Every structure is written in structure tokens, then in C-alpha cells.
Amino acid sequence: MTCLPSQSGKKLGLVIDLDTCVGCQACVTACKEWNTGGHMAPLTDIDPYGGQVDGVWFNRVHSYEHTTEMGGRTVNFPRSCLHCETPACVTVCPTGASYKRASDGIVLIDEDKCIGCKLCSWACPYGAREFDTDVGVMKKCTLCVDRIYNDNLAEEDRVPACVAACPTSARHFGDLGDPASAVSQLVAERGGVDLMPELGYHPTNKYLPPRAHAKRAASVAAPALEPVRAEGGFLGWVDRMLSN
């Protein structure tokens, strides 16, 4: 089985704001577009225009209806690899194809070593692994390693494609191993949480919970409109015809 690095002081990851995510799928399509020609390319599509659509997606967004005492709301929940501190998908791998980098904490797959046994997908409780039936290997989110370290890109563009594409700035990228980083401070301010922390895998990615609504919006009691007398001429005739 595969061993984990002794430590990774730098922990690159995502912080996802469930309060501002609108479920527009921009992150999903941007991820697909970038990575289908990137580090883990290709991202296979199966019957994309038919009735049995399938394929490899590193990022998926699920929508749920959440009901509280203050009413209901839709919560959009993006899901991808969480780049756990102690990932079961790595330790279960029999060939060393799944591994965690000591330099930045990113979990990756070496396709040349992957035998497609799917043990990692069974071990991952978050459903973050995708099996490419065309190639016969597992694939997953890479945090766009071929983008975040790409010196040919402007510094502000060296973020995962999903982060760059989000129109509501619901996705944030940075070093969660640095308490002074912008993402770490955001997690502290908003009470960011791990997904399923009881499992003990210590995900690097964090979720910012939806803000509680203090009260419903105040109702505005507008006065009733005064009935309007029909005018004469053509407009009066139209008004009488539509009123019948």
C-alpha cells in the first residue's frame, strides 16, 4: 500500500462559500474545458448528446432544498476532491498510483501506475474519484497543477479554473496551512467546516456554511389602486372591450 508524506506544511486547497454559490455550473464547465486538455487529459464524454450521458467530471454541483424555521432556501453544494490530510484513497492504493505531494499537499494520480482496480474510489467517502472507462484508469481533481504553477500565465490567473470562472466569487484558493493566508482568515471569520469530519480524513478544502437569515423580508402593504374611469374615443373603446 502507499504511504503518506511525513508532513506537508503547505496545504493548497479551496474554500467554497455555500451562501453565495448560485449553482450556475460555471465552475463545472470551466473545469471540464481546462482539464480536458490538461494534466489528466482527456476527460472522456460518453454519449454526450444522447439519452445516457456519462463521462469524467472533476467537479459536480448538487442542489438541495433546505427548510428552517425562517423558511426554505436552495443550497448549492459543489463537490470535488478535498485533498485530505490523511486520504484513504492514497493508503489503499496497491501500486502507488495515488499519492499526496509533500510540497503542497495536493493529491494526484500517476496514470502510468494506475491499474484501474477502483480501490481508491471505494475508499473515498466523498465520491471524488472518477473512473475513465475509455482509458481504464482513475481520474480526479488536480487543483489545476498545470495552471497554478504556470509561469506563462499572469499571476492573478494562476488559480484553478473553477475559481477563475465563478461569477459570484464563491470559490477561493490558497494555502490553508498558513494561518495568515486570506483563505485561512476567511475560514476563521465565517466558521468554515470540514465535510464529514467524523471520518477523520481531515479534508484540506473547507466549506463556509450558509448565513442564517435573522427574519423574513418585511411585507410592504401598498394601498389599493383607485379604479380608473374609461376614457372616451378609441382608448375608451379598447378599455371597454378588454374589460368585458
Side-chain angles (χ1 to χ4, degrees):
M1 299 302 173
T2 307
C3 296
L4 297 171
S6 56
Q7 61 180 358
S8 57
K10 190 175 185 179
K11 300 177 183 178
L12 295 183
L14 301 174
V15 175
I16 300 173
D17 191 344
L18 300 181
D19 191 62
T20 56
C21 176
V22 295
C24 67
Q25 308 286 330
C27 58
V28 176
T29 54
C31 170
K32 183 83 167 183
E33 186 274 334
W34 177 267
N35 286 290
T36 200
H39 179 75
M40 295 292 290
L43 302 193
T44 303
D45 282 319
I46 301 173
D47 195 21
Y49 304 107
Q52 301 294 326
V53 179
D54 200 357
V56 176
W57 298 84
F58 290 169
N59 185 37
R60 299 174 185 267
V61 178
H62 307 275
S63 297
Y64 303 93
E65 294 300 320
H66 181 224
T67 303
T68 66
E69 295 178 355
M70 304 309 298
R73 66 174 296 175
T74 300
V75 177
N76 301 294
F77 185 81
R79 176 177 60 85
S80 62
C81 176
L82 302 175
H83 301 277
C84 299
E85 186 66 19
T86 55
C89 60
V90 170
T91 55
V92 78
C93 181
T95 66
S98 286
Y99 64 100
K100 183 175 180 67
R101 305 203 310 188
S103 60
D104 52 20
I106 297 177
V107 177
L108 295 174
I109 299 173
D110 185 342
E111 291 188 63
D112 292 334
K113 295 180 180 178
C114 181
I115 58 176
C117 66
K118 300 184 182 180
L119 284 176
C120 59
S121 64
W122 296 336
C124 174
Y126 307 111
R129 297 270 167 149
E130 299 268 333
F131 184 69
D132 191 327
T133 56
D134 274 5
V135 186
V137 298
M138 298 302 300
K139 296 185 177 182
K140 60 175 289 299
C141 164
T142 68
L143 273 183
C144 293
V145 290
D146 51 347
R147 183 182 175 108
I148 62 177
Y149 293 114
N150 191 337
D151 293 335
N152 295 317
L153 296 176
E155 186 173 356
E156 60 270 20
D157 293 329
R158 295 175 201 166
V159 295
C162 61
V163 175
C166 182
T168 63
S169 299
R171 303 175 74 90
H172 308 267
F173 171 71
D175 183 5
L176 286 148
D178 177 8
S181 69
V183 286
S184 293
Q185 292 179 5
L186 183 60
V187 170
E189 292 170 4
R190 289 281 307 281
V193 297
D194 291 347
L195 181 61
M196 298 161 62
E198 67 275 10
L199 298 179
Y201 296 122
H202 308 292
T204 297
N205 290 4
K206 308 298 180 189
Y207 287 94
L208 305 181
R211 294 180 176 91
H213 296 290
K215 58 181 179 180
R216 291 182 179 272
S219 60
V220 179
L225 296 176
E226 293 283 341
V228 179
R229 294 180 61 184
E231 299 180 8
F234 175 74
L235 293 179
W237 177 81
V238 171
D239 182 68
R240 289 192 297 273
M241 291 300 101
L242 294 177
S243 300
N244 290 335

